[in-house]
């Protein structure tokens, strides 16, 4: 099995200048800039994983008949590298991302990538491009995007016999440009994201492709994000376009929709459930209908709503909007949302004790 030191390293001859990199790290936005290198590996049934390498960041050469372009056999992950005050670089619960990547791969008939190879790929890339990990102020981090796709040149519909795995890295600030400002959510009544027996619990590109028309509808209606209901009954809340959702009740209970096979099991979602308990709240996973959201806010039972994800961290939700109506859920980040968000960031940036052993040192 390859070790980080076994990854062949081809360094770029045209690295971004230190001045340009500093400018980018000062205001990275989200997903706009990429580091100097990337990690790539190949797989075939005969060879298993091979050709693990770090190489200059750049385009793949993709044959027009590569099966991913036709049948969307593709999965991905999202995690971050955080720079601590002493300069060291850490990532958060990468073994959970590795396990979810394996589950997504199984659902999408892609090959199994062992956890240690997933971790070694991340480690090799972050060590090579460690200068790209920003100082931690303002929620800045290096967003890591591992992905795997069907690269066999073949138009028959069957699992690909050539697969490519890669990791790219992108310096990131807040996902939403408004930072901690509450976001607005559009209720998708026509489109659903995932159906029972489908791929909702897998982190595959197709789920996000299916969400885009509803996300575009959200933007057309002045909203930041879309919320999807369950496909069977269009009754229960599932998740937003790229993040999970939580409701804070007046009695101190924090509720998120229970996993039903079509909701993505977010790493941040699981961490928020654990941190909430630790902070003295009662955390529950149960079905929440769209009516319960509306009625809960109107009656005052639901006091705060927030979204969470690796990219979104913990972001307050200020407005729910639908065709013909809207409901204010709060003009600013609520006390519980802010407390949970701060605790999560404190753990990720090493400002409090890592009681759960969630951090994994990279550099
Ligand atoms: C993440 O939070 O890492 C995601 O993959 C979601 C996407 C909205 C960026």
């Amino acid at each position: 099995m390859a070790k980080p030191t076994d990854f062949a390293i081809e360094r770029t001859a045209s690295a971004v200048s230190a001045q340009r990199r500093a400018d980018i790290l000062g205001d990275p936005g989200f997903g706009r800039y990429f580091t100097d290198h990337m990690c790539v590996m190949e797989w075939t049934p005969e060879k298993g994983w091979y050709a693990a390498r770090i190489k200059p960041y750049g385009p793949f050469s993709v044959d027009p008949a590569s099966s991913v372009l036709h049948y969307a056999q593709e999965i991905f992950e999202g995690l971050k590298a955080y720079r601590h005050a002493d300069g060291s670089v850490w990532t958060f619960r990468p073994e959970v991302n590795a396990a979810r990547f394996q589950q997504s791969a199984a659902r999408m008939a892609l090959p199994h990538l062992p956890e240690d190879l997933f971790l070694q790929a991340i480690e090799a890339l972050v060590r090579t491009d460690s200068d790209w990990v920003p100082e931690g102020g303002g929620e800045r981090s290096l967003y890591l995007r591992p992905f795997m796709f069907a690269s066999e040149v073949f138009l028959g519909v069957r699992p690909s016999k050539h697969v490519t795995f890669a990791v790219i890295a992108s310096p990131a600030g807040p996902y939403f440009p408004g930072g901690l400002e509450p976001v607005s959510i559009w209720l998708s009544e026509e489109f659903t994201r995932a159906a029972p027996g489908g791929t909702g619990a897998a982190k595959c590109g197709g789920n996000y492709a299916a969400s885009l028309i509803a996300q575009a509808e959200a933007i057309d209606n002045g909203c930041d994000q879309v919320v999807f209901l369950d496909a069977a009954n269009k009754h229960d809340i599932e998740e937003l376009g790229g993040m999970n959702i939580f409701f804070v009740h007046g009695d101190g209970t924090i509720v998120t929709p229970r996993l039903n096979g079509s909701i993505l099991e977010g790493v941040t979602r699981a961490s928020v459930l654990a941190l909430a308990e630790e902070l003295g709240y009662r955390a529950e996973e149960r079905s929440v209908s769209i009516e319960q959201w509306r009625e809960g806010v109107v009656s005052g039972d639901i006091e705060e709503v927030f979204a969470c994800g690796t990219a979104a961290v913990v972001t307050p939700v200020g407005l729910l909007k639908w065709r013909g109506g809207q409901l204010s859920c709060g003009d600013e980040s609520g006390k519980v949302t802010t407390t949970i968000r701060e605790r999560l960031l404190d753990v990720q940036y090493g400002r409090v004790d890592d009681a759960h052993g969630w951090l994994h040192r990279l550099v």
Side-chain angles (χ1 to χ4, degrees):
M1 193 71 58
K3 298 261 176 318
T5 45
D6 297 331
F7 282 66
I9 297 186
E10 182 200 340
R11 288 194 174 267
T12 180
S14 51
V16 169
S17 72
Q19 181 55 55
R20 175 73 185 132
R21 192 174 61 233
D23 291 346
I24 292 171
L25 298 190
D27 181 21
F30 184 86
R32 290 190 287 151
Y33 303 103
F34 300 92
T35 64
D36 293 316
H37 298 90
M38 60 200 269
C39 177
V40 184
M41 265 185 254
E42 313 292 336
W43 177 93
T44 64
E46 297 75 30
K47 293 189 183 174
W49 290 106
Y50 67 99
R53 59 209 188 273
I54 299 290
K55 56 178 286 199
Y57 181 93
F60 290 111
S61 168
V62 178
D63 191 285
S66 291
S67 59
V68 66
L69 298 181
H70 303 271
Y71 309 126
Q73 195 190 6
E74 186 273 352
I75 58 170
F76 69 97
E77 269 302 322
L79 64 168
K80 285 174 170 171
Y82 306 89
R83 191 177 292 284
H84 288 189
D86 65 358
S88 59
V89 177
W90 304 70
T91 190
F92 182 72
R93 309 189 74 182
E95 65 292 341
V96 184
N97 293 92
R100 188 173 65 183
F101 200 62
Q102 291 173 350
Q103 285 155 15
S104 300
R107 178 63 184 85
M108 298 303 288
L110 282 163
H112 177 88
L113 180 74
E115 177 184 311
D116 58 348
L117 214 41
F118 180 92
L119 299 181
Q120 286 161 20
I122 283 164
E123 220 162 284
L125 179 61
V126 175
R127 286 194 180 153
T128 307
D129 280 341
S130 61
D131 288 346
W132 283 90
V133 184
E135 303 292 329
E139 200 188 298
R140 285 194 284 270
S141 62
L142 184 64
Y143 184 81
L144 305 170
R145 173 54 63 87
F147 58 107
M148 189 193 281
F149 61 93
S151 43
E152 184 178 355
V153 177
F154 178 60
L155 291 184
V157 182
R158 59 147 172 75
S160 179
K161 291 185 183 165
H162 191 289
V163 169
T164 302
F165 169 78
V167 188
I168 55 173
S170 174
Y175 184 73
F176 293 106
L180 243 192
E181 245 171 66
V183 293
S184 49
I185 306 289
W186 173 253
L187 173 64
S188 178
E189 291 175 281
E190 186 181 352
F191 305 108
T192 53
R193 175 187 163 275
T199 57
K203 200 161 175 69
C204 62
N207 290 341
Y208 293 77
S211 78
L212 295 179
I213 188 169
Q215 177 63 29
E217 196 178 82
I219 290 166
D220 286 348
N221 284 279
C223 292
D224 300 296
Q225 264 288 316
V226 58
V227 61
F228 290 103
L229 301 178
D230 75 282
N233 303 308
K234 293 200 177 163
H235 179 262
D236 288 337
I237 295 158
E238 295 217 320
E239 62 177 83
L240 309 186
M243 47 209 80
N244 296 115
I245 189 163
F246 275 82
F247 301 91
V248 179
H249 291 256
D251 66 357
T253 310
I254 293 177
V255 178
T256 193
R258 76 180 166 80
L259 300 174
N260 60 358
S262 54
I263 294 177
L264 188 78
E265 186 170 3
V267 179
T268 311
R269 175 187 179 280
S271 309
V272 165
L273 286 168
L275 291 177
E277 291 276 356
E278 223 172 79
L279 289 164
Y281 306 110
R282 201 169 50 251
E284 274 183 26
E285 299 172 76
R286 62 169 136 96
S287 314
V288 182
S289 71
I290 185 65
E291 277 323 309
Q292 284 172 328
W293 181 353
R294 288 190 181 114
E295 285 164 12
V297 171
V298 170
S299 71
D301 178 34
I302 293 177
E303 296 185 340
E304 300 173 32
V305 184
F306 65 85
C308 74
T310 299
V313 190
V314 169
T315 301
V317 170
L319 185 75
L320 172 67
K321 205 169 168 189
W322 60 93
R323 220 171 283 292
Q326 64 178 47
L327 179 70
S328 170
C329 306
D331 295 338
E332 53 186 33
S333 183
K335 184 168 155 283
V336 178
T337 303
T338 306
T339 306
I340 291 176
R341 176 188 157 82
E342 288 308 313
R343 174 60 74 98
L344 178 65
L345 290 170
D346 282 346
V347 174
Q348 291 172 333
Y349 286 98
R351 296 188 289 249
V352 294
D353 182 38
D354 175 24
H356 298 274
W358 283 343
L359 293 178
H360 175 102
R361 186 161 184 175
L362 296 172
V363 178

